[in-house]
Amino acid sequence: SFDVAMIFVGSMVNRYGDFNTEIENAIILRYLQKEHSKPSALNIFNQLLPKNISGTPSTIQNYNWDPSLSLEPAANKELAKNRISGSTKNTTNKENNIFSKLNSSLPMPISTPIPLTPANLPKQEELPAQRSSAFSMIMVLGKNKTKGAQSLLLNGPQFGWFAPSYLYSVGLHGAGFDLVGNTPFAYPAILFGHNADIAWGSTWGGGDLIDIYAEKLHPQNKEKYLFQGSYVNLEKRALSIKVKNRNDYRFYTYRSVHGPIIKRSYTRNIAYAKKRSWEGREISTLLHWIESTKAKEYTAWEKSTAHQALNINMFYSDKHGNIGYVFGGKYPVRHANHDNRLPVYNPKHDWLGMQPFESNPSVYNPKNGYLINWNNRPAKGVLNPDVFWFSWSKADRVNFLHKEITSKERFTAEELWQTLEKSSFADPNISYFIPHLQKAMQYTRNKDLHRLAQAIFDWDGARRDSDEQGFYDSPGLAVFQIFMAALVDYSLKDDLGKVAYSFFSATGYATPQHPYSSSINLPVGVKAIIERLENPAGQRYDFFNGEPASLVLLKALQKTWRFGKKKYGSKIQDWQLETVPLLFRTKNFLGIPQNSKNNEVKLPVAMNRGSGNILVVFTKTGVEGYEVIPPGQSGFIASNGKKAKHYADQLSLYKTFQKKRMWLHEQDVSEHTESKQVLYYEIQ
């Protein structure tokens, strides 16, 4: 039971509930200061990583949620005053204090393991690799938005693409359970599924559960830190890892009152502790997640989600046509002057307590009749995530799903499933730039630039390879992808400087040599540029340096032409971009091999969808569940190399957007049984 629990804690809690880049954020801010005055650097930081931003698409519409219920701490007034483009006014002494603390106590190494000794500290700062910032999607339709159904739930959980799959399909019938669904390997909780009465699904919520506390170490004894005016011992624990054919690897871990020590800077006498609101609630979260799958109606389901300590969006539908949503997680009440994006240096800024469950955004039967989430903001009033690689803004890929769902009054189950294919190939960036490019073309007579722009306008925005010849269908995609790289480079590089720019240079596109590890999203740097295009008067800093937006876009097009002409030639129809495959990797999300590389499988073209998909259809006569989990249900490979029958038999279903039934009722299970094994046990 301990091993089973640790699989959940390690792969769900530590993977999805432990994201934090406050130290990296502080390094970004410090390097911005090297390029700019302190106020301007702060304005750029706020522009890239805002604590909050208005107009973002939310899972709960404003008329269904009172944001005052969220116990968000008062905005850090010192960090929020300067909203004038490029302004250096109104800088307070407290702002200067923020910078002085960063400069005096920020660690040089940002990714060193524990234990730390002066001998093994890296000589230079290490820049973190850009994380994948794309997770799961879900669409839930109530009875007033469906046709031929009471409710529909379509979920695409995204754990990455692996061979074997992280998801497996299972039916539980007995001991109080009667359900089917799928879930990550070895989980006792079925995270995505249905019983005879309700269905449930989830996505990553992005809520801020984690803070980093900078503990001041004793000048002579690095195992003591300052707490409430006196030096106390760090909690010390000796651990040992057995290594085959080598001596055991022995080391120590340390904790402060705030949590485990994750990094130390001996030269600055600082140890960084990670405080996690979910700590001590991991098993309770798992047990109540299990319990929620037994529920027959919303009240019982919601009661279980109240114990969910992770930042998970929890969704519900039932046989009566009701739908619901709860933003899961236990969230701290922070000090009013605590900036959740940066490490805490002030010992007075400890957490003031925990928010009650009632402050978590939730809704039952929303007025618009549907619920959609693609890791966007849960509701107005929820703080932006504190990671440099993910943010919420008005530009969001979820807008594509909203457009599809509002395009017609009601959906059948099959029509809802078809939206999955549309969104899987839709470029997440293109729609935000078309209007601004159209305007920009009015200011030039350059025929080459007009031809480039027209290629983009003629492209339907879909990233497809219809003939599977290894190249995307439209040259407009190649033009646009080069254009995006040129625009990000021209807009941000001169303002951010080399180091900070490396955190925000991504355009969101992979290459055939380095395919996507999960689904596609708008990167943070691109979102900042879109904000500048859409709301120039509301910017903290002008990334266009006073130039008109149209001129900036034309300059990016000029660079696109120079690069593309050299690479592809002067005929734009020859600008063919090689396709990025969808690769099912044999190393897990930690980069550890879980299969031999020659057992990798792939599809010709990457898709922007979940690792698997599940569709639950409640009608007046019952429930039908469907799923597709590539490559297949089994990961077994015999010693002679022969793969199990179901090793990759769902690849073709996934590629062609088909699905298979999940069988809930006993008669259906019996009729579709391939084999049967009875396990006997004895109670000692």
Side-chain angles (χ1 to χ4, degrees), residues 442-489:
Q442 301 174 18
Y443 297 98
T444 181
R445 296 180 180 179
N446 186 300
K447 293 182 180 180
D448 293 326
L449 299 190
H450 273 277
R451 289 195 299 131
L452 287 177
Q454 193 59 50
I456 295 175
F457 300 154
D458 291 342
W459 174 39
D460 65 359
R463 304 177 60 83
R464 294 178 182 269
D465 175 17
S466 301
D467 58 10
E468 295 190 8
Q469 295 299 306
F471 297 93
Y472 288 108
D473 292 345
S474 173
L477 190 157
V479 174
F480 183 72
Q481 196 159 309
I482 298 170
F483 165 77
M484 286 301 302
L487 179 61
V488 171
D489 186 79

Side-chain angles (χ1 to χ4, degrees), residues 536-606:
Q539 304 307 291
R540 300 170 175 87
Y541 182 90
D542 184 8
F543 290 124
F544 294 171
N545 300 322
E547 292 186 343
S550 292
L551 179 60
V552 172
L553 298 179
L554 291 174
K555 287 183 176 181
L557 271 181
Q558 287 177 329
K559 189 173 182 179
T560 301
W561 175 245
R562 290 194 297 270
F563 178 88
K565 183 180 179 181
K566 183 178 181 180
K567 183 176 178 65
Y568 298 110
S570 58
K571 295 181 179 180
I572 296 178
Q573 62 267 30
D574 293 336
W575 289 29
Q576 290 189 307
L577 189 66
E578 191 176 352
T579 52
V580 177
L582 199 163
L583 178 67
F584 293 82
R585 288 171 165 81
T586 55
K587 290 184 178 180
N588 67 16
F589 63 88
L590 295 175
I592 301 171
Q594 61 182 21
N595 198 343
S596 60
K597 188 172 177 58
N598 60 357
N599 287 318
E600 284 182 344
V601 294
K602 63 182 179 180
L603 294 174
V605 182

Side-chain angles (χ1 to χ4, degrees), residues 413-441:
E414 197 55 38
E415 288 170 339
L416 181 64
W417 184 261
Q418 290 169 4
T419 66
L420 180 64
E421 181 174 0
K422 294 179 182 179
S423 62
S424 294
F425 293 110
D427 185 279
N429 294 323
I430 181 66
S431 63
Y432 299 102
F433 291 93
I434 291 292
H436 301 286
L437 275 171
Q438 290 173 334
K439 181 180 178 181
M441 300 319 296

Side-chain angles (χ1 to χ4, degrees), residues 21-34 45 102 106-111 125-128 263 341-343 345 499-500 503:
T21 66
E22 290 177 20
I23 295 175
E24 290 91 336
N25 297 348
I27 288 174
I28 292 168
L29 183 52
R30 176 159 62 85
Y31 272 97
L32 289 174
Q33 183 196 359
K34 290 184 177 182
F45 183 76
L102 287 175
L106 199 63
M108 289 298 288
I110 65 172
S111 57
E125 283 185 332
E126 302 172 12
L127 295 178
K263 291 179 175 68
R341 301 168 297 178
L342 299 170
Y345 295 95
V499 175
F503 287 82

Side-chain angles (χ1 to χ4, degrees), residues 141-152 408-416 617-619:
L141 277 56
K143 58 185 176 183
N144 294 327
K145 193 66 180 174
T146 59
K147 183 165 57 178
Q150 293 290 87
S151 66
L152 301 171
K408 56 194 306 181
E409 186 176 350
R410 293 175 180 268
F411 283 78
T412 65
E414 197 55 38
E415 288 170 339
L416 181 64
V617 184
F618 279 106
T619 67

Side-chain angles (χ1 to χ4, degrees), residues 19 23 29 50 70 75 116 120 200 283 349 405 492 588:
F19 292 134
I23 295 175
L29 183 52
S70 293
L116 299 178
N120 66 18
W200 55 90
I283 303 304
H349 289 181
I405 295 303
L492 301 182
N588 67 16

Side-chain angles (χ1 to χ4, degrees), residues 23 80 190 279 307 317 389 404 432:
I23 295 175
I190 308 305
E279 190 167 355
H307 298 273
S317 67
W389 45 267
E404 289 296 311
Y432 299 102

